[in-house]
Amino acid sequence: MDLFLLILLVFMIIGSVIAIETKNLLSSVISVGVVGFSLSIMFLMLGAPDIAITQMVVEILILVILIRATITTDNTAIERHADTFSVISSLIFFGLFLIFAFLAVHELRPFGEPLMRVSKTYLATSAEKTGATNVVTGILLDFRAYDTIGEATVLFTSVVGAFVILRRRGRKHKRESDTEKVGILEDADIKKDFKGF
Amino acid sequence: MHDIEKEIRESKSGMTMIVKTIVRFAMGIIILFGAYIVLYGHLTPGGGFAGGVILACGYIILTLAFGKDIALRKLSDQGASIMDNSGALAFIVIGLLGYTGGYFFLNFIDHGKRFELFSGGIIPLCNIAIALKVTASLFAIFIALAIFGKFISGLVEEEE
């Protein structure tokens, strides 16, 4: 079990490295999909079918959207500048990350034995308090419904943003102030102005 | 109905005949599976978000296979935005109705018997509201990126 998880993890790391390094945008998107589907299998094996379903479905949706988006827009290969400053700074930050990760991992509890102070109560009383036999849904929509409202708000905001930025054409209201600012004069205005001369 | 069938058969937009035929068979199954995931969210793994994404995937497959004209007739961008807003409103109204018994998001409906479809109080209703919201908003994002975005990239000239 642990060995299989390790193999999947290595597979995911290889997939993400390929996704960054490859020049072709389409194969990069497919490598991102590899990472997501391996993650979904891992969730399934660790006993979280709810998250596995969500991860798999969202991954499919994201793949479709990304492929559609990368095909319709210009494929531009980003040119790489081997800059000494960027290499040195990324090395420094990677070293810092390693130090802090080393310190933080020592503080973590061992794999598979999480600290469950609040969630013990949820697990014990979810079925009788909420009436839902799926504990995850019981927590999401009863104990933690506020968080779900936050998630719904995030989705709503993203839709509003996508529609505002990508809508077919801007709304044009002709106002008098606009014509004055730009200096566009109607024929009647020009005649009126020239009457004075 | 007959006119739409004829139009779908004759329209050149979208993918080939093979894809269209298979999508016509698979579409019902996808929608049914999404509805199952939503409605049984409080009993089995799944829930409003996962089921909503499956339903949105169904509409996206329709868009990819048949082209945007026929898909937007099934669920237009206006319709998607109305569905999105009504889902969000329904969710908040269910939460506010909890004040009849005391506090926000109180599970005020009778919980019923365990392992039954009509159990869990407000949880199935919340699942349906979230599914409406997620379906409409993800489909709307897809419309915005795939159809509106074309006009921005300049590869496709403006139609109107």
Side-chain angles (χ1 to χ4, degrees), chain A residues 89-107:
Chain A
S89 58
S90 54
L91 275 180
I92 288 172
F93 280 115
F94 191 63
L96 280 176
F97 166 75
L98 279 184
I99 291 167
F100 282 112
F102 183 74
L103 291 175
V105 165
H106 262 278
E107 293 293 319

Side-chain angles (χ1 to χ4, degrees), chain A residues 49-50 53-54 57-58 60-61 64-65 68-69 71-74 127-135 137-138 141-142 145-146 148-149 151-153 155-156 158-159 162-163 165-169, chain B residues 41-46 49-50 53-54 57 60 64 77 84-85 91 104-105 107 111 114-115 119-120 123 126-127 130 133-134 137-138 140-142 144-146 148 150-153 155 158 160:
Chain A
D50 289 83
I53 290 174
T54 310
V57 170
V58 169
I60 292 169
L61 188 88
V64 170
I65 287 180
R68 186 77 187 182
I71 286 175
T72 50
T73 53
D74 299 319
E128 58 174 289
K129 271 189 180 166
T130 66
T133 40
N134 182 7
V135 180
T137 313
L141 291 177
D142 197 298
Y146 262 128
T148 313
I149 260 201
E151 173 220 321
T153 315
L155 208 57
F156 188 77
S158 66
V159 174
F163 261 67
I165 294 172
L166 295 172
R167 71 175 167 229
R168 206 168 295 195
R169 48 177 60 189
Chain B
H42 57 297
L43 302 174
T44 53
F49 190 82
V53 180
I54 293 173
C57 279
I60 286 172
L64 291 178
D77 48 346
D84 186 11
N85 293 332
F91 189 45
F104 200 45
F105 273 116
N107 201 339
H111 290 177
R114 239 179 260 175
F115 296 105
S119 68
I123 291 177
C126 285
N127 266 334
I130 291 174
K133 208 196 129 35
V134 170
S137 52
L138 289 180
I141 288 176
F142 178 75
L145 285 175
F148 298 172
K150 267 188 180 177
F151 297 102
I152 288 176
S153 71
L155 290 178
E158 238 178 287
E160 292 167 38

